[in-house]
Amino acid sequence: MILENKGEKVRIGLFGGTFNPPHLGHQRAAAACVRQLELTRLLLIPAFVPPHKFMPAGSATPRQRLEMTEIIARKIPRAQVCDLELSRLGPSYTCDTVEQLAGEYPGADFWLIMGTDMFLSFHKWRQPEKIARYCRLAVVAREEQEKEKIQRQQIFLKETLGVESDVVSCPVTVLSSTQVRQDVMDGGGESELDEDVARYIQSHGLYQPSSRLEELGKAVREHLTEKRWRHTLGVEEVAASLARQYGVPEEEAREAALLHDATKCLDIQEQLKLCRQYDIIFDYGEQNTALLHGKTAAALAQDKFGSSPQVVQAIARHTTGDRDMTTLDKIVYLADCIEPGRDYPGVDRLRSLCRQDLDQAMIQALSDTIEHVRQKGGEPDRRSQEALDDLRSKKENGK
């Protein structure tokens, strides 16, 4: 898309974030950027799952975050919403976004807008030098005491990465989406939100306290490492997205994702103890003990958390697959393979397949896994091969 502005240079601001929810702090910062940078257009870009953090349980869906962002865009001069990153199942890397937008808006000047914390860590981002080729940075300084740190970082980024940057002054009350969500849960938060966003949150029942998913998340998190918990939240968000696309109850997908690795951090002796407690037959073979947590987590989901048979089965099958997999089974299996923290050869191709054809994505994922195990000198679990054969047969017969 080429923008015209009476012969003048087109100036575009890129304002990304989770917008979970968008609040008055976002609106004030965006309006200040439009005014002080003399922007032709401001693109508000909600992320699907940002690479630097994971969406907390009970968050608004990507579609709901998009719709709330559209509400505030109507109230910010020259602003519009860009859904580019919501179309990705993988993480929302800024370097990819700015490259794509530079191709869509040839000849435009870009400013990437961010808060102080993000600016101070910019050199640690993925391919910051690539971002610098396409954009100047615009850091929103909300407090006077931030400016000295910002100036030092400006010098550092200029000398090390050739980054050009500008400071936008926006002396407003510091707000965070985390605090706004908590205030809404506590029965307040209206003063921190646009009135139409507040009504949207209320009408959709967002950010309500003590939901089942929140309770499950709290229970599971106590038994996982920080890395494993981040993985779990990534699986939850992808599973929810796939559930919406393929017509599966989102609540079931989120529950199965939250519980799928509930016993992953237990050692083999603790796993075997659960096998005895729940009469689980250990038939994986010594080399495949890492797969056992699927069955033990499923047993806990049924016994301790009262999960439905559909959820229990999806958890049990997420490590190996099996014959006659349901759509929920496939979603949990694939979400585990492609959550934003995964980074291996072929993952982007698999993410794309998941959006196009769930069965073909399963065939690809199972084939890759079986081949990987064999290359390492192992013997794939029989259920994985049976699942693959079953899917291929149904595909060939048009079922």
Side-chain angles (χ1 to χ4, degrees), residues 23-43:
H23 51 69
L24 292 178
H26 293 130
Q27 289 176 245
R28 292 166 184 155
C33 288
V34 171
R35 184 175 59 254
Q36 295 179 39
L37 298 173
E38 300 180 338
L39 299 177
T40 309
R41 180 169 297 186
L42 175 70
L43 299 182

Side-chain angles (χ1 to χ4, degrees), residues 278-295:
Y278 292 110
D279 296 323
I280 296 171
I281 299 174
F282 180 79
D283 59 351
Y284 289 94
E286 291 185 8
Q287 64 179 350
N288 290 330
T289 55
L291 303 177
L292 183 57
H293 73 277
K295 283 191 174 181

Side-chain angles (χ1 to χ4, degrees), residues 46-227:
F48 176 64
V49 179
H52 58 280
K53 60 182 177 181
F54 285 81
M55 303 297 285
S59 292
T61 67
R63 172 56 55 183
Q64 289 168 335
R65 292 188 287 112
L66 177 69
E67 291 173 351
M68 288 189 286
T69 307
E70 288 173 339
I71 291 173
I72 70 165
R74 293 194 289 268
K75 304 183 180 186
I76 301 169
R78 303 177 186 174
Q80 69 181 69
V81 176
C82 172
D83 65 358
L84 170 64
E85 295 193 351
L86 289 183
S87 65
R88 299 176 187 158
L89 275 180
S92 302
Y93 288 115
T94 301
C95 58
D96 298 328
T97 298
V98 297
E99 182 176 43
Q100 183 169 342
L101 288 173
E104 293 183 10
Y105 298 96
D109 288 336
F110 289 93
W111 277 261
L112 180 63
I113 299 164
M114 63 188 68
T116 302
D117 291 343
M118 290 293 98
F119 182 68
L120 296 178
S121 64
F122 177 76
H123 54 288
K124 299 178 182 179
W125 289 20
R126 187 184 185 98
Q127 299 184 16
E129 69 287 346
K130 181 178 180 181
I131 298 171
R133 287 203 302 270
Y134 296 106
C135 296
R136 293 178 68 97
L137 304 186
V139 55
V140 178
R142 296 172 295 190
E143 299 177 357
E144 191 64 33
Q145 56 265 39
E146 291 181 337
K147 292 186 176 179
E148 184 177 345
K149 291 187 292 185
I150 290 172
Q151 288 172 353
R152 288 199 299 269
Q153 180 72 346
Q154 283 183 295
I155 295 170
F156 171 75
L157 292 177
K158 175 67 174 176
E159 292 178 346
T160 57
L161 296 171
V163 172
E164 300 288 348
S165 57
D166 300 288
V167 179
V168 175
S169 179
C170 186
V172 298
T173 302
V174 177
L175 296 175
S176 72
S177 291
T178 301
Q179 184 59 53
V180 172
R181 285 195 305 274
Q182 187 60 54
D183 290 345
V184 172
M185 290 173 62
D186 293 340
E190 290 83 359
S191 64
E192 302 158 343
L193 296 165
D194 174 86
E195 60 182 15
D196 291 327
V197 172
R199 277 195 289 269
Y200 182 98
I201 289 171
Q202 184 177 21
S203 66
H204 287 77
L206 301 180
Y207 312 120
Q208 297 303 304
S210 302
S211 71
R212 172 171 171 78
L213 291 177
E214 285 183 298
E215 294 303 318
L216 289 175
K218 290 177 183 177
V220 170
R221 186 172 188 174
E222 294 178 2
H223 302 285
L224 300 181
T225 63
E226 182 62 26
K227 181 178 180 180

